Amino acid sequence: MPRVTEEYLAGRRAEILAASARRFAADGFHATSMAGIISESGLSAGAVYRYFRSKEELISAVAEIALSKAEEVFEGLLVDGATPSPAEAVSAMVHGVVARAADDTITKTDLTRLAVQVWGEALSNPEVHQRVGDVYRSLRGHCAEVARRWQAAGHLPPEAPPEQVGTAMLGLVQGFVLQRLLLEETSADAYLAGATALLPGRPAGSG
C-alpha cells in the first residue's frame, strides 16, 4: 500500500474542519450533528472519526481557527517601535475582521459568526473558556501597548491607565463584530467614523 503522507493527513483534517466551520456557522454548535458534518465534508464516517473523536473536539478545533484570526490583525501594527494611535489600531482591527474573518479563504465561511458562538460556548465549556481568555487577554495587552506608546508620545493624559484604555479599545472591536452580524446596515466605515470621534487621534502635522 502507498504510504499516507503527513501532507495528505493535514489536508484531510483541514477539509473536515472547513466542513465543520460551515455547518457550525450556519446552524450553531449544538444544532449541528456529526452526521451533518460528515455529509458536508463528503467523507466517510470512518474518515472523519479518524481525525476527531467527537463533536466537542471539533468545536474546540474550530474555535481555535476563529480565535487565531484575531491575533493576525496585529501583525505589523507595533513593529519597529511604531506608535499607532488608538483610533488607527481600532481601524486596523475592524478592517482586519472584515478582510480576514468575514470571508475566510480556507473555511469559505464567515468566521465572525463562529467567534460570537465561541463566546457563548466559553460560558459552559471550560476548555473553550480557557482558550478564549488567553486570546482576548493577549489582544487586550496589544491594545494596552498601543495606549502606552501613545501616552509616552504625549498624546494621552499621564493619568490615563493604558490597561483600561486597551480594554475599551478591544470592546469597540467586539461591539463592531456583534453589530455587523445583528444589524445589516452596520458598515466598517460608518462604525469607524463614530469610533474615531471618540478616540484620541494623531495630531495634525505629525508623521
Side-chain angles (χ1 to χ4, degrees):
M1 291 181 62
R3 183 182 177 187
V4 177
T5 65
E6 290 297 326
E7 183 179 1
Y8 174 85
L9 295 174
R12 275 296 171 90
R13 186 176 190 277
E15 287 178 30
I16 297 166
L17 284 175
S20 302
R22 292 192 295 271
R23 295 278 20 107
F24 289 148
D27 302 329
F29 287 144
H30 298 291
T32 298
S33 65
M34 282 299 288
I37 291 170
I38 291 165
S39 176
E40 180 76 23
S41 72
L43 301 173
S44 68
V48 171
Y49 281 108
R50 176 181 181 182
Y51 295 89
F52 298 96
R53 292 173 295 178
S54 66
K55 189 173 76 171
E56 285 65 36
E57 282 193 5
L58 278 165
I59 289 173
S60 295
V62 168
E64 188 79 17
I65 294 174
L67 293 171
S68 68
K69 291 292 179 180
E71 282 281 0
E72 289 180 9
V73 303
F74 264 96
E75 289 180 358
L77 194 62
L78 294 172
V79 298
D80 300 327
T83 56
S85 71
E88 289 167 336
V90 169
S91 178
M93 287 189 285
V94 165
H95 283 304
V97 164
V98 173
R100 300 188 186 202
D103 187 20
D104 182 55
T105 57
I106 297 175
T107 62
K108 307 297 184 184
T109 194
D110 185 344
L111 290 181
T112 65
R113 294 179 63 88
L114 288 172
V116 172
Q117 293 183 55
V118 168
W119 299 346
E121 182 69 14
L123 299 180
S124 58
N125 184 323
E127 181 180 347
V128 175
H129 184 277
Q130 179 65 47
R131 180 55 181 149
V132 168
D134 290 344
V135 169
Y136 285 114
R137 285 188 191 91
S138 176
L139 289 175
R140 194 167 62 182
H142 292 323
C143 291
E145 180 61 20
V146 169
R148 192 172 294 110
R149 294 185 188 186
W150 199 236
Q151 186 178 58
H155 305 317
L156 273 182
E159 67 274 12
E163 292 77 13
Q164 294 178 12
V165 175
T167 296
M169 289 168 60
L170 180 57
L172 283 170
V173 179
Q174 292 172 310
F176 168 73
V177 170
L178 282 174
Q179 289 194 42
R180 175 184 167 277
L181 291 173
L182 297 176
L183 303 171
E184 294 179 358
E185 66 272 20
T186 303
S187 72
D189 289 342
Y191 187 88
L192 288 170
T196 300
L198 292 172
L199 294 171
R202 191 171 294 280
S206 64

